[in-house]
Amino acid sequence: MGISILILTLNEQANLPVCLAAVAWSDDVVVVDSFSQDDTVAVAERLGARVYRRAFDDFAGQRNYALDQIPFKHEWVLHLDADEIVTPALQAELQAAVADGRFDAWRVPSRMMFMGRWLRYSGLYPSYQVRLGHRDRFRFKQVGHGQREDLAPERIGTLREPYLHYSFSKGLTDWFDKHNRYASAEAREAARLSENGGGFDWSGLTARDPTRRRRALKVLSTRLPFRPLLRFLYMYILRRGFLDGHAGLTYCRLLAIYEYMIVLKMRELAAGEMSIGRSGRAGGCENHQR
């Protein structure tokens, strides 16, 4: 059974050749580009990919658009970003998974690569995302800054072999730009959860499913004081990020900065809502006086 490949891009002319070379075994590679300003589209077409263009709304929207509107050659679709590499070992396991038939989608672990090495500890390995799914039985939903599977857990299998994630391949400026946007999305998601009464999955903290545990811990972290410091201590001490050497120390510091960005944006949202509330009350009073 064949596997189609879907790759999301925005200004990925540098990363795309390596990503595409790693999936050259597929005879159906599709790129959905968010109107790149560089030569991403030309590179993709030159290397044999089918290219579609769509203005970016969010990750789930891009992937669901592809599943709903693009005619894939194969029933199974592997979802990638341009800074992610499929290894030969993962390729073999992917092909075994689609022949298995027991599940509608599969979780795939990733290895975070930074400063020329694998972040075995501070990269939270194995961190799973659902990336392989049947085109007719699997869709995404947007949560915070990223997508999440919209599928019952019992319909999802788990693979052992990871893909390689080069999140810093375009440099720290690009990383900060992305995480500035991600922090805004995470702050809005935290505000939404707060408005809905929290919706916290307490039993998820002790669940056997590692993905559920990670998501429960992530939501819990939004309620804790000293969040940036706690994130650093958790990653560097409890998760033994110090064993990743200088790269691990640098990465844990960057994650603490990211957490602080989220905290600041949450405060900004709260201050904006209070300001609007005060303006509304003042306006109401003024109208009443008229």
Side-chain angles (χ1 to χ4, degrees):
M1 298 179 67
I3 300 174
S4 295
I5 310 295
L6 172 63
I7 304 172
L8 302 186
T9 61
L10 174 63
N11 299 328
E12 294 287 358
Q13 67 176 20
N15 286 325
L16 197 54
V18 181
C19 179
L20 289 174
V23 293
W25 45 267
S26 173
D27 62 352
D28 187 35
V29 178
V30 173
V31 167
V32 174
D33 183 72
S34 301
F35 293 94
S36 293
Q37 300 302 307
D38 63 5
D39 290 332
T40 294
V41 170
V43 169
E45 291 177 338
R46 176 170 54 83
L47 295 176
R50 291 189 286 142
V51 178
Y52 296 79
R53 305 188 81 176
R54 180 179 187 266
F56 185 85
D57 49 5
D58 55 46
F59 290 103
Q62 294 294 88
R63 298 192 192 280
N64 289 339
Y65 156 79
L67 292 170
D68 293 334
Q69 302 297 327
I70 296 175
F72 287 98
K73 182 176 180 178
H74 302 294
E75 294 181 359
W76 289 87
V77 179
L78 176 65
H79 298 260
L80 294 173
D81 294 330
D83 60 358
E84 297 168 347
I85 306 299
V86 175
T87 66
L90 175 57
Q91 174 199 344
E93 192 174 17
L94 290 168
Q95 291 173 329
V98 300
D100 182 288
R102 288 180 297 165
F103 301 103
D104 296 328
W106 294 82
R107 303 178 189 90
V108 185
S110 66
R111 286 186 177 182
M112 175 67 72
M113 310 299 291
F114 180 50
M115 298 177 67
R117 65 175 295 167
W118 166 32
L119 297 180
R120 182 185 183 97
Y121 300 96
S122 51
L124 293 176
Y125 182 81
S127 180
Y128 294 93
Q129 289 195 42
V130 177
R131 291 300 189 91
L132 177 66
H134 192 282
R135 67 187 182 197
D136 300 325
R137 302 197 294 264
F138 170 57
R139 292 297 183 271
F140 292 93
K141 58 184 177 181
Q142 189 71 17
V143 178
H145 79 269
Q147 76 272 326
R148 185 176 295 177
E149 69 280 357
D150 193 6
L151 190 65
E154 61 269 17
R155 300 305 307 151
I156 304 172
T158 302
L159 301 185
R160 296 177 57 186
E161 291 294 334
Y163 60 87
L164 308 182
H165 187 195
Y166 291 86
S167 182
F168 294 86
S169 58
K170 293 194 287 186
L172 285 173
T173 297
D174 177 77
W175 188 90
F176 275 108
D177 287 344
K178 286 192 300 184
H179 283 73
N180 181 40
R181 298 192 300 270
Y182 295 167
S184 297
E186 291 294 336
R188 291 192 296 269
E189 176 67 10
R192 184 189 68 81
L193 290 173
S194 179
E195 291 173 0
N196 294 338
F200 183 66
D201 179 18
W202 289 103
S203 61
L205 293 174
T206 56
R208 296 180 62 183
D209 181 356
T211 302
R212 185 181 173 193
R213 286 200 309 272
R214 179 171 57 85
R215 290 171 178 170
L217 284 169
K218 179 179 178 180
V219 175
L220 178 62
S221 71
T222 65
R223 307 182 178 195
L224 298 175
F226 310 110
R227 179 174 170 176
L229 175 61
L230 290 175
R231 180 66 182 273
F232 175 81
L233 294 175
Y234 172 73
M235 299 295 296
Y236 195 66
I237 304 300
L238 293 182
R239 296 291 304 196
R240 298 183 292 171
F242 60 88
L243 294 177
D244 290 325
H246 179 63
L249 175 61
T250 302
Y251 184 64
C252 291
R253 285 173 169 172
L254 288 171
L255 289 181
I257 293 170
Y258 173 52
E259 293 294 340
Y260 191 49
M261 291 165 65
I262 297 174
V263 170
L264 291 176
K265 289 174 182 287
M266 290 173 62
R267 292 175 183 171
E268 185 177 57
L269 284 176
E273 291 171 357
M274 288 190 293
S275 176
I276 291 171
R278 287 194 295 268
S279 298
R281 288 194 295 273
C285 218
E286 181 180 354
N287 290 336
H288 180 72
Q289 289 172 349
R290 289 195 187 103

